[in-house]
Amino acid sequence: MSNINETLLNAVKFDEKGLVCAIAQDWQTHRVLMVAWMNAEALQKTVETGFAHYYSRSRQKQWMKGEESGHTQKVHELHLDCDGDAVVMLIEQNGGIACHTGRESCFYKVWQDGAWQTVDAVLKDEEAIYGHKHP
């Protein structure tokens, strides 16, 4: 392992499954766009390429954000919290869509008046992005 990878990974406290929580935040507005998981390989690829890579727990595989949709995330800054168990990335969201539902953010529901209210419009239909709906 190179010194840079050793320095990068040794500070991170991966959980018992080898994962760390990764938060993608817009680099200009600071709006939280999505939360996903990274393993050591995804974190290394993110640093090496400058684009966000994640580990899919449901599919059990590495993926680069935007590999299917084209909605890549260029990483401007990478932050590690004080405990080393969460990463925040300030990213530039290509296409303005981070959520697989076709919205700007995965956090498009707000608790108001005793119910979850959808506050963000769909910018592009999920079927138009992927050719199918996600389960």
Side-chain angles (χ1 to χ4, degrees):
M1 187 181 329
S2 72
N3 284 343
I4 192 164
N5 284 338
E6 191 173 317
T7 302
L8 171 71
L9 299 177
N10 284 343
V12 179
K13 291 182 185 154
F14 294 96
D15 69 12
E16 66 281 349
K17 295 178 181 170
L19 303 174
V20 66
C21 178
I23 301 158
Q25 194 173 14
D26 185 276
W27 73 295
Q28 293 180 312
T29 67
H30 292 266
R31 181 176 187 195
V32 175
L33 300 178
M34 60 178 275
V35 175
W37 296 93
M38 290 181 159
N39 61 9
E41 183 181 347
L43 185 56
Q44 285 174 297
K45 283 184 176 183
T46 297
V47 170
E48 289 168 6
T49 66
F51 287 89
H53 287 73
Y54 300 100
Y55 181 79
S56 171
R57 296 176 300 169
S58 60
R59 295 178 294 171
Q60 300 285 297
K61 72 172 202 153
Q62 302 290 327
W63 61 287
M64 184 182 101
K65 177 66 175 169
E67 66 187 14
E68 289 181 40
S69 66
H71 301 141
T72 56
Q73 294 176 336
K74 181 178 189 238
V75 178
H76 285 265
E77 291 182 15
L78 189 62
H79 297 256
L80 183 63
D81 81 332
C82 60
D83 296 321
D85 62 0
V87 172
V88 172
M89 296 176 293
L90 295 182
I91 60 101
E92 183 177 343
Q93 182 65 55
N94 182 38
I97 298 172
C99 185
H100 76 274
T101 65
R103 292 175 173 89
E104 175 187 16
S105 171
C106 293
F107 296 91
Y108 60 86
K109 295 180 182 178
V110 175
W111 183 257
Q112 292 175 333
D113 303 321
W116 289 107
Q117 307 291 330
T118 298
V119 295
D120 288 0
V122 172
L123 301 175
K124 189 172 184 181
D125 183 76
E126 188 177 351
E127 287 193 48
I129 296 170
Y130 301 102
H132 60 85
K133 294 264 189 203
H134 281 77

